[in-house]
Amino acid sequence: MKRRTFLTTATLASAGLSTLLISSCVDTKKNEKQEATDDSVEAFELEEETISNLREKLASGKYSSEQLVQMYLDRIEAIDKKGPKLNSIIELNPDGLSIAKALDSDMKAGRIRGILHGIPILIKDNIDTADKMQTTAGSLAMVGNIASKDAFIVKKLREAGAVIIGKTNLSEWANFRSTQSSSGWSSRGGQTKNPYILDHSPCGSSAGSGVAVSANLCAAAVGTETDGSIVCPASVNGVVGIKPTVGLVSRSGIIPISKTQDTAGPMARTVSDAAILLSALAAVDPEDAVTLESKGKAQKDYTTFLDVNALKGKRIGIEKKPQGNNKIINEVLDGAIKLLKKQGAVIIEIDYLDKINAFGQAEFEVLQYEFKDGLNNYLAKSNAKVKTLKEVIDYNNTNEDKAMPYFRQETLESSNAKQGLNDPKYLDALAKSFEGSKKVLNAVFKEHQLDAICGITMGPACSIDTIYGDRWGYSLTTPAAASGYPHITVPCGQAYDLPVGLSFFGTPYMEGELIGLGYAYEQASKKRLKPVLKTSFL
C-alpha cells in the first residue's frame, strides 16, 4: 500500500491536487556532476533479457536454468548485497539452484511444466512459501515464520515451472504501520534504494520487487497491492506493473491488509513479460471466494492481447483539471497524450478525481477494520511467534530500539482499536469508499463510452527520509484500488533523471484490453531506460 494515500486525501482534495511534487522532488535540477556509485560493476550478460528470450535460450540449450539462477544470484551479490547495495532482496532461496537443476532434468526429458519453466522469479516477503524461506512482511515480530503450505499463487508459479530464487524487501507490513514511514524500509530488511538515484525512494510497498526487476536481478517479480503498492514502485523504478481486478488473482497465503482491495500482480521490464506472468497467476482458488467471480472472465493467455495497433480508435479519458504545475511532469504527460493520439486513440477530457478523493478517509477506515480482522485470522493459523495484532504491537514496544528506530506504529494501533466487521461504522465506510468509487467510475465510463482512463501514475521518487517519512505529491493509484478495478502502468519518460509511469485503468476483468493499450504505447514510445546507479542529485 502506498503511504499516506488515505490520510492525505482530504488535504489533496481541498487543494485540488494542485501540488504535483513535494519537497526535494520539486526544485532539484539536473546536476551535471551526477556519477554512478560503482564504476567497477561489470556488464551483466542477462541485462534486459525477456522471459520469451530466456525460454528460447533454455529450449536451444544455450543456457540451463541452473546457469540462469547462478547468474542472477551473482548479480544480486554484486549490486544488491555489495557495490551500490540496493538492498532489494530480503532473503534468498537456499534451494534455488537445486530446483533449477531438477527443472533442467525435466526439460531434457521433455517434461515442460509450463510457461515459466526454468525462469528465475522473485516474490514479495508477504507471500507464503512452504520451503526454507520465511514470510515476515519485513517485521522482526514475524521472524521465524515459515509457512506450512505455499500460497495459492506460489503453487501456480511452481506449476508453471518458475524458480523462486528469493523474496523481496518491502515497506514493513505493506506500509500499514505508520503515517511517517519510509517506503521500502522494514525492521527486518532495512532500506531498499532506487536504482536510478540511490538516495531516492523505491516507493512501496512492493519496493524490493520493483527495484529487483528494474536492476535486472530476476526475470520478473510478484508484488502485492492494496492502494499503489504495485503501480507506484513500478512507476518510479521504470518498469511495468499490473494491479489486477480484485478476484482475478488469489490472496490466500498472503499476509493481508484488506479483503476488499488486496491483490497480487506481476512486475516486469516489458508488458509482454507482465502478461506472461499474469497468465501464470490468474486462477480460481476455492480458499479465496472472491476469485469465483473471475470464472469465465479470466484469460488463459494474456499475451494474445499484445497488439501494436491496440490504441487505434480507443476512447481514453484523461482528467481535465491540471494535476499540478510542474513543467517537466506536464511535458511528460503532454508528450504521452500526443503519442496516444498519433497511435489513433481518441482523448476525452473527464472530471472524476475530486469525487474519488472525497472517499479517502472512508477508504482508510475500511482498511483499518479489515487489516485487524484479516491479520488476526492469518496469524492464528501461522507459525509465527505472534498470534494477534495486539501481540505484534506489544513485541514492537518491547523491542523498540530494533523494531521502531525511526517511526512508530500508530496505524497498527488505530487498526487494533477497531471493532469487528459487523460494526455499522465499518459498513458505512465500505459503502462510501468501495461502492462509491465503483459508482463514480462506472458512471464516467458509461457517460463517455471510455475504453480506459489514463494519466501519470506518480510523480518521480522523493528523497529517502527514514526520520520524517515519505513526501509524495500527485498519484493516480486510488481510483482503481478503492474500486477493485484493474490498472497497468508503463514507463513513459523521466523527470529529474527519475522514471515516471503512465497509467491505464478500466472496469473489472479488462486486464487483456489494458495490456493491449499498454503494449501499444510501450512499443510506440520505448521509454524504458536502464537504471544507472547514481549516488544522488548532488
Side-chain angles (χ1 to χ4, degrees):
M1 194 195 78
K2 185 175 68 62
R3 74 292 327 127
R4 293 204 293 277
T5 295
F6 316 102
L7 301 182
T8 62
T9 298
T11 302
L12 290 169
S14 65
L17 285 171
S18 60
T19 304
L20 179 59
L21 301 170
I22 297 177
S23 188
S24 62
C25 292
V26 177
D27 56 3
T28 307
K29 297 181 179 179
K30 183 175 180 180
N31 192 318
E32 298 298 330
K33 297 181 180 180
Q34 292 172 344
E35 296 178 354
T37 297
D38 188 351
D39 292 333
S40 67
V41 174
E42 296 181 1
F44 182 46
E45 186 175 345
L46 302 179
E47 195 165 65
E48 301 296 291
E49 276 282 18
T50 65
I51 292 174
S52 295
N53 284 344
L54 291 177
R55 287 168 60 185
E56 290 176 2
K57 290 172 181 178
L58 285 168
S60 71
K62 179 174 182 179
Y63 294 130
S64 67
S65 179
E66 186 178 9
Q67 287 174 319
L68 292 182
V69 169
Q70 188 61 63
M71 282 189 279
Y72 280 121
L73 292 177
D74 290 344
R75 172 75 166 178
I76 289 168
E77 179 67 17
I79 69 170
D80 199 67
K81 304 305 179 187
K82 296 180 179 178
K85 199 171 182 180
L86 295 171
N87 205 38
S88 67
I89 314 297
I90 202 168
E91 184 171 4
L92 290 170
N93 186 351
D95 295 325
L97 286 169
S98 61
I99 292 170
K101 190 173 182 178
L103 287 165
D104 287 332
S105 295
D106 283 348
M107 179 169 280
K108 288 178 182 178
R111 297 187 297 269
I112 305 301
R113 296 193 189 180
I115 58 175
L116 295 173
H117 191 107
I119 302 297
I121 300 292
L122 287 164
I123 66 173
K124 190 175 177 180
D125 180 41
N126 59 350
I127 303 172
D128 284 347
T129 53
D131 50 27
K132 295 175 184 176
M133 292 187 290
Q134 303 174 69
T135 305
T136 69
S139 172
L140 288 176
M142 293 289 287
V143 168
N145 180 43
I146 296 180
S148 299
K149 68 176 185 177
D150 284 338
F152 183 82
I153 61 168
V154 171
K155 178 184 175 184
K156 299 305 293 182
L157 287 171
R158 297 197 203 276
E159 288 175 356
V163 185
I164 300 173
I165 61 173
K167 292 192 174 182
T168 56
N169 196 21
L170 69 161
S171 311
E172 187 171 321
W173 292 112
N175 221 17
F176 210 67
R177 196 190 103 174
S178 170
T179 60
Q180 301 296 320
S181 61
S182 173
S183 285
W185 184 91
S186 71
S187 57
R188 181 185 171 213
Q191 178 67 55
T192 300
K193 303 171 187 176
N194 190 301
Y196 289 84
I197 302 180
L198 299 178
D199 65 354
H200 275 62
S201 176
C203 202
S205 64
S206 303
S209 294
V211 170
V213 168
S214 185
N216 286 274
L217 305 184
C218 57
V222 178
T224 68
E225 174 164 329
T226 305
D227 189 326
S229 282
I230 289 174
V231 295
C232 180
S235 176
V236 306
N237 290 292
V239 300
V240 176
I242 300 176
K243 197 277 306 181
T245 304
V246 173
L248 184 68
V249 175
S250 169
R251 292 88 53 83
S252 64
I254 300 176
I255 297 175
I257 292 178
S258 166
K259 66 177 185 177
T260 300
Q261 295 182 202
D262 284 355
T263 184
M267 304 177 77
R269 288 180 292 275
T270 67
V271 175
S272 177
D273 281 358
I276 291 171
L277 187 50
L278 183 62
S279 301
L281 296 173
V284 172
D285 174 13
E287 293 187 22
D288 185 356
V290 73
T291 62
L292 296 173
E293 298 174 7
S294 70
K295 192 172 183 179
K297 302 170 185 173
Q299 304 293 322
K300 291 184 178 180
D301 183 3
Y302 283 95
T303 65
T304 60
F305 292 89
L306 300 173
D307 178 6
V308 293
N309 298 310
L311 282 163
K312 188 174 182 179
K314 296 299 189 298
R315 295 173 63 85
I316 309 295
I318 294 181
E319 172 64 46
K320 66 182 180 181
K321 292 188 182 71
Q323 302 306 301
N325 57 8
N326 185 282
K327 180 181 178 182
I328 295 177
I329 298 297
N330 288 337
E331 288 174 352
V332 172
L333 178 58
D334 289 344
I337 292 172
K338 288 177 182 177
L339 184 56
L340 293 175
K341 290 179 178 178
K342 185 177 180 181
Q343 296 303 305
V346 179
I347 303 300
I348 312 294
E349 288 191 341
I350 58 176
D351 181 5
Y352 74 105
L353 274 177
D354 288 349
K355 297 173 185 176
I356 295 288
N357 289 330
F359 303 133
Q361 187 55 45
E363 184 189 8
F364 183 57
E365 192 82 355
V366 168
L367 301 195
Q368 290 175 96
Y369 276 95
E370 293 185 350
F371 178 64
K372 178 183 179 181
D373 178 77
L375 184 62
N376 282 340
N377 288 332
Y378 174 89
L379 291 175
K381 301 172 185 176
S382 76
N383 295 320
K385 58 181 175 282
V386 288
K387 295 299 182 182
T388 64
L389 174 55
K390 177 62 165 57
E391 290 184 14
V392 172
I393 293 169
D394 290 344
Y395 175 92
N396 289 341
N397 285 330
T398 301
N399 299 275
E400 181 176 346
D401 289 349
K402 292 182 178 180
M404 300 189 293
Y406 303 117
F407 49 87
R408 307 296 300 175
Q409 57 179 342
E410 62 272 16
T411 304
L412 298 186
E413 293 167 345
S414 64
S415 298
N416 193 55
K418 297 300 182 184
Q419 302 300 312
L421 298 188
N422 59 351
D423 189 335
K425 292 182 179 179
Y426 163 71
L427 297 174
D428 179 63
L430 184 64
K432 287 179 180 177
S433 174
F434 183 52
E435 298 300 334
S437 296
K438 290 195 295 183
K439 184 177 180 180
V440 169
L441 291 180
N442 289 344
V444 75
F445 269 92
K446 183 178 180 180
E447 178 186 354
H448 298 286
Q449 298 181 309
L450 299 178
D451 293 289
I453 293 176
C454 180
I456 295 294
T457 310
M458 293 287 301
C462 60
S463 300
I464 292 172
D465 190 336
T466 54
I467 297 173
Y468 295 106
D470 293 344
R471 292 163 289 177
W472 295 96
Y474 169 71
S475 73
L476 194 62
T477 69
T478 297
S483 60
Y485 288 0
H487 183 171
I488 184 171
T489 181
V490 180
C492 81
Q494 289 195 339
Y496 310 103
D497 293 331
L498 292 160
V500 175
L502 187 70
S503 287
F504 297 90
F505 58 91
T507 50
Y509 303 104
M510 278 184 60
E511 282 80 4
E513 290 79 1
L514 295 179
I515 284 168
L517 300 179
Y519 181 75
Y521 176 80
E522 172 195 60
Q523 294 302 304
S525 64
K526 299 289 187 181
K527 293 294 186 179
R528 155 77 180 165
L529 294 175
K530 294 181 294 184
V532 291
L533 308 175
K534 293 178 182 177
T535 54
S536 68
F537 275 121
L538 302 177

